[in-house]
Amino acid sequence: MTKQNKKVSTHYKIAKKITKLMIDKKALDITLIDLKGVTTLTDYFIICTSESDPQTRAIFNHIKDQLIKKDVKPWKAEGYEHLHWVVMDYINFVVHIFNKKTRDYYDFERLWGDAKITKIKNI
């Protein structure tokens, strides 16, 4: 496996781990958008919907805390003050935690319709 393929594989594994962490906190409508070949912004968007401000905080903190244990730290995080749309930017993958109204308004799946979009089933 080439060095580039190992990086992509690692990024995908972390993106999948994030979807599981979202499930841990009962996030809704979890979606993984593979942006490779579509944009140079990032490789993946991992998106979910939260039903309340406390749930948004719980999802954010759970992802941050669990990834820090694996020495993966966000480059930047925004939106935590208002909790309508929280973004955690890890450079190669970006986590978006939306409330329902904001998620519906921005409709990322439509905006990034050229990308491979995978809906994650909450078990």
Side-chain angles (χ1 to χ4, degrees):
M1 184 179 283
T2 68
K3 191 174 183 179
Q4 182 64 25
N5 287 343
K6 283 183 182 178
K7 271 187 179 177
V8 170
S9 177
T10 300
H11 299 157
Y12 179 75
K13 286 177 185 174
I14 295 171
K16 289 294 287 180
K17 171 74 174 167
I18 291 168
T19 66
K20 290 178 177 136
L21 295 170
M22 289 173 167
I23 290 169
D24 289 348
K25 295 301 175 186
K26 311 290 189 240
L28 303 175
D29 199 18
I30 301 168
T31 304
L32 177 62
I33 301 179
D34 183 341
L35 295 164
K36 292 184 307 298
V38 177
T39 184
T40 57
L41 293 173
T42 190
D43 291 340
Y44 300 98
F45 282 160
I46 307 101
I47 304 168
C48 73
T49 302
S50 170
E51 295 183 285
S52 67
D53 290 354
Q55 184 184 25
T56 299
R57 274 189 218 94
I59 295 166
F60 174 90
N61 289 328
H62 189 53
I63 292 169
K64 182 179 63 123
D65 294 345
Q66 294 304 309
L67 292 185
I68 283 175
K69 288 179 183 177
K70 300 202 177 291
D71 211 24
V72 178
K73 297 175 184 156
W75 174 65
K76 192 170 200 171
E78 294 186 14
Y80 195 78
E81 333 51 67
H82 303 291
L83 302 171
H84 302 292
W85 176 6
V86 177
V87 179
M88 304 169 78
D89 188 344
Y90 290 88
I91 308 292
N92 297 105
F93 43 92
V94 180
V95 177
H96 299 271
I97 307 167
F98 288 102
N99 69 18
K100 175 100 173 93
K101 183 178 177 182
T102 307
R103 174 96 183 251
D104 290 345
Y105 180 79
Y106 286 101
D107 194 6
F108 266 36
E109 289 83 351
R110 182 186 53 78
L111 288 173
W112 294 99
D114 292 345
K116 180 181 176 194
I117 297 173
T118 305
K119 295 285 186 184
I120 307 298
K121 301 233 186 286
N122 296 31
I123 303 168

